[in-house]
Amino acid sequence: MSGRSRRRARAAGPARATRVVLLSLCALAFVAVAAAVWVGARLAISYGHVSAARAEASSTMAAVSADPASAGSRADRLQELGGRLAEARDLTGDVVWRSAEFVPIAGANLRSYRLTVEALAETVEAGLAPVVSDFARLESAVSLSGRSVDTAAVSRTAAGLHTAEAALDRSRATLRDAAEGPLVPQLAAGVRQATELVDSLHGTVSALSVAARIVPAALGADGAKNYALLFNNNAELRTTGGIAGAISELTADGGRLELGRQLVPEQLNPPDGAGLAVTPEESALFGERLGGYIQNVNLTPDFVRSGELTAAHFRAALGTDLDGVVSIDTATIALLLAATGPITVDGRELNSENATRVLLSDVYLQIPSRDQQDVFFGELTQVMFDKLFGSGTSTVGVLTALGTAAEQGRISVWFADSALQRQLGGGPLNGPLGRLTDRGAPVGVFLVDGTAGKMDTYLEGTFTAACHAAEPAATSTPGTATTRRTVTATATLASTAPADIATYPWVVTGPGVPGLATGGIRTMVQFAATDSLRPTRVTIDGAEVPILTRMIDGHPVVVAEIDLAPGAVSVVVADFVALPTRSPTVDRVVATPTATEFEHYAEPGTCD
C-alpha cells in the first residue's frame, strides 16, 4: 500500500468511529425522546382516568367507611371506578415505564405514581367490590329491636371479608412504598390522600372481618354464653377508662342478647384480707389491691388479666362461670346517645351533649349517698340497653358509635375461650397492652387514680410519643461509641379543680389519703412498651426519679406517681431504648381513654 493510501486509511478510521458514535448518540436520543413521549402520553391518559376517578373514589370510600351497607347502592359506580383505575394501572405497568423509573428524581415520581394507582385499583377491585353483598348481609343480620343477630348469616361473610382485608393490607403496604423518595409536592399530597382513604376503608373492613369471625361463637351459636359488663367511670381513672362502679350480667344464646342482674361491687368483693392472689410482678407495681376489689381489676394494663380476675370474682362470690368480660366507659354513652336520641334516668334527661357532665360530675354533687348512686347507674344500664335495642334505633348509627369508641380504646373485651381471644389479635378491643405494636404504637401511657374519689373530672393534659437518637453510649470496643435509639413517652397532667374544691362532698374529693391535701389529685402514671423496648430513665418535672419497672405479659411496665394541687401542672417523661435488632415505628400513642380534654400527639418516625 502506498503512503498516500495508508494516510487515507488512517484518516478514515477516526471518521468512521465518529460517525458510529454520532449515529449511536442519535439513536439513543431518539429512543430517549420516544420513551419520554411514550411515558408522557401514557401518563397523560392515565392521569385523566385517575383525575376522573378521584372525586368518586373519595366520596365512595368515605361513604362506605361510614355506612358499609350503602355500598350496595353504589355497585354501578364501583364497577365504573374499578374500570377507570384498572385502565390507569395498565397504562403505567409496561417495560418502558418501568425502565423510566431508573431516571434520577423523575423516576422516583413515576414509580410513586404507578404504585399509588396500583394500590387504588387493588383497593376497589379486591378490597371493596367483592364484599358489597357481604356488607348488606351483615346489616340485615342484625335486628336491634329483636335483640338478636343471625349468626349463620354473619358466618357466611367471614371468608370474603378476610380476603378483602388482606387485599387492603397489600394496598396499604404499596402506599407506604409509594411515599418514599423525593416526590413533588402535588404527588406527595396525592399519596397522603390515597393513604387516608385506604386506611379508613381498611379500618371498617378489618373491624367487620373480626366481627364476622367472632360474633357467631361469642353470641352463642353453639350454646349459651355468660358475660360480665363492666361500666367504667372516667371520673376515677383506670387503665381502660375508669373504675368499674356498675356491673351487669349479659347472656347470649343463639344470637339473642339479654341483660341480666345489675350488680354493685359489694356483691362481688371478697371479705377483707381474702383477695385474689396476684403475681410478685403485679404486687410490686399495683399492690395487693389488684386482687382485693373488683373495682381494681383494671389497675393493670393487661386486660386479659383483668378478665381473668373478674371471672374469679364472679366464681367466688356468685358461683357463676363467665365466658367473657366486656369493659365500656362513660364517654361511650355520649357517643351512643348521638345515635339513639336522649334517655331519661331518675328524672334526668341525658343526651349526647350533657351525658358526660351528668355522669362524671352532677351525679356525685346532687345524689348524696353511694347506695343511691348505685341505683342510678343500675337504672342507667337498663334504660340504655332498652334504648339501644328499641324500635327505630339506627343500626348503622349504633355500630358507628361503637366503632368510634373501640378505636378510641373505650371498649375492651376478654374471652375465656383462647381461640376467640386470639381472633382479637392486636385490634382495638384487645385492651391497653394488646393495642401496643412495633408498627406505629410501641409505647402507651395509662393513668390510674390514687385519690379514691371522683377528681379525674378535673384532670386534663397531653400524651406524646417520639422516636429519636439519644446521647452516644459507650460500646465494648475502646474508643468507639454507638447512638442509642430511644422512644420517649410523655404525660403532661394538669388539675382544673376549682379553688373551693375542698368544700365538695367527700365522694368527689376522696376519703383522704396520706400525704394528699383535700382537693388534690393523685395519679399513678404507667408507661408500657412492646418487648422491643426497655425503660432507661423516668423524670418528673425534669428531675430524674428511681425506676419502678416489671415485666407484665412480656411487656415492660414502669410506674411513677404524682400529686397535683388545684391549678398545678406536672410533666412525667419515660425514655425507652430500642433493642439492637428491633426498629419500632412511632405514628401514634396508645393511652387511657378519658372523658376530659387530653391531646394525643406522636412525632412520626422509625427507630433505625
Side-chain angles (χ1 to χ4, degrees), residues 35-58:
V37 171
W38 177 269
V39 170
R42 293 172 79 84
L43 175 61
I45 299 170
S46 171
Y47 186 72
H49 289 307
V50 173
S51 296
R54 180 185 299 166
E56 186 64 33
S58 297

Side-chain angles (χ1 to χ4, degrees), residues 524-579:
M524 174 197 288
V525 183
Q526 301 177 6
F527 296 97
T530 65
D531 63 357
S532 294
L533 300 172
R534 294 294 181 270
T536 58
R537 188 177 68 154
V538 174
T539 63
I540 298 178
D541 298 327
E544 189 165 350
V545 297
I547 294 179
L548 175 58
T549 183
R550 293 292 188 276
M551 298 297 289
I552 300 294
D553 191 35
H555 296 261
V557 177
V558 59
V559 302
E561 191 171 79
I562 60 171
D563 290 345
L564 292 174
V569 178
S570 192
V571 180
V572 189
V573 181
D575 290 329
F576 293 82
V577 65
L579 299 180

